[in-house]
Amino acid sequence: EHLTTYELGVKSDWLKQRLRINAALFHSDYEDIQILIFNGIAPETRNAARGKITGGELEISYRPSDKLQLHASLGYLNARYTELDQSTGALVNPLNKSDRFVNTPEWSGHLSVTYQIPLNAHGLLTLYGEYSYRSEIANDAINTEELMQDSLYLVNGRIALQSENKQWQIALYGHNLTDERYLISGAADKPTFGSVGALFAPPREWGLEIERRF
């Protein structure tokens, strides 16, 4: 594969370094894109296409006080095929120029809040929460309908208590708190066997961590 990328960005600090704003715009020319695709019953990796990727990222961090930190990010991607190798048209599962890139959302976003409470001789209590968004993605190269993942919203949280000497930490965490059911990968061979296989992310998770630093 060959990728040529042009990027223009800025990194800046404001308000006595309490506010940080980073931004970037980029454009990539992508040649000899490797695609995993089923040719009959056999999975094959081929240099099957050329494409272009255009996008931008914005990241903002703000610390209004020594205890509170806010973070937000937003990303945009326009990834598309511009040319296909002629041999892909002969595949049992043909690739089309209109197909989405695998695992490439058009929009993504993230919000997080961290709040720290000093407990003097009892250590430091940290509260953390995050919310993330991702628009629709494909989980295989030919965009099998059953493997398309709709827009997704996820919420995670964490409460951690660190000892005063920073050697011990105990934390309670929760992942996927809204118990979303969503795909993280998959493969399909519908024309040959009519089969579609998918791997789902774990449901809501709770956990307890105990850490000792030496």
Side-chain angles (χ1 to χ4, degrees), residues 37-44 91-93 188-193:
I37 198 166
F38 277 89
N39 187 18
I41 63 173
E44 295 182 1
L91 295 174
V92 176
N93 296 283
D189 190 10
K190 292 176 68 175
T192 305
F193 289 111

Side-chain angles (χ1 to χ4, degrees), residues 128-149:
Y128 175 79
E130 67 174 3
Y131 169 89
S132 62
Y133 167 78
R134 187 187 69 194
S135 61
E136 183 184 43
I137 64 167
N139 278 292
D140 70 336
I142 60 172
N143 292 190
T144 301
E145 182 179 358
E146 292 87 347
L147 297 178
M148 297 295 293
Q149 173 58 51

Side-chain angles (χ1 to χ4, degrees), residues 44 49 93 100 177 187 205:
E44 295 182 1
N93 296 283
R100 295 172 178 262
L177 293 178
E205 289 184 285

Side-chain angles (χ1 to χ4, degrees), residues 117-131:
I117 306 172
L119 301 177
N120 300 321
H122 298 290
L124 178 68
L125 181 66
T126 300
L127 310 177
Y128 175 79
E130 67 174 3
Y131 169 89

Side-chain angles (χ1 to χ4, degrees), residues 3-6 24-30 51-57 75-80 82 101 104-106:
L3 186 67
T4 303
T5 298
Y6 308 90
L25 297 173
F26 52 85
H27 174 79
S28 300
D29 292 317
Y30 202 172
K52 294 184 181 295
I53 304 172
T54 303
E57 297 175 345
Y76 170 75
L77 281 174
N78 180 8
R80 60 200 183 279
T82 57
F101 282 27
T104 305
E106 183 177 15

Side-chain angles (χ1 to χ4, degrees), residues 155-169:
V155 179
N156 300 317
R158 179 182 176 89
I159 302 173
L161 177 63
Q162 186 180 67
S163 64
E164 186 181 19
N165 60 13
K166 299 182 180 180
Q167 290 184 336
W168 287 93
Q169 179 172 275

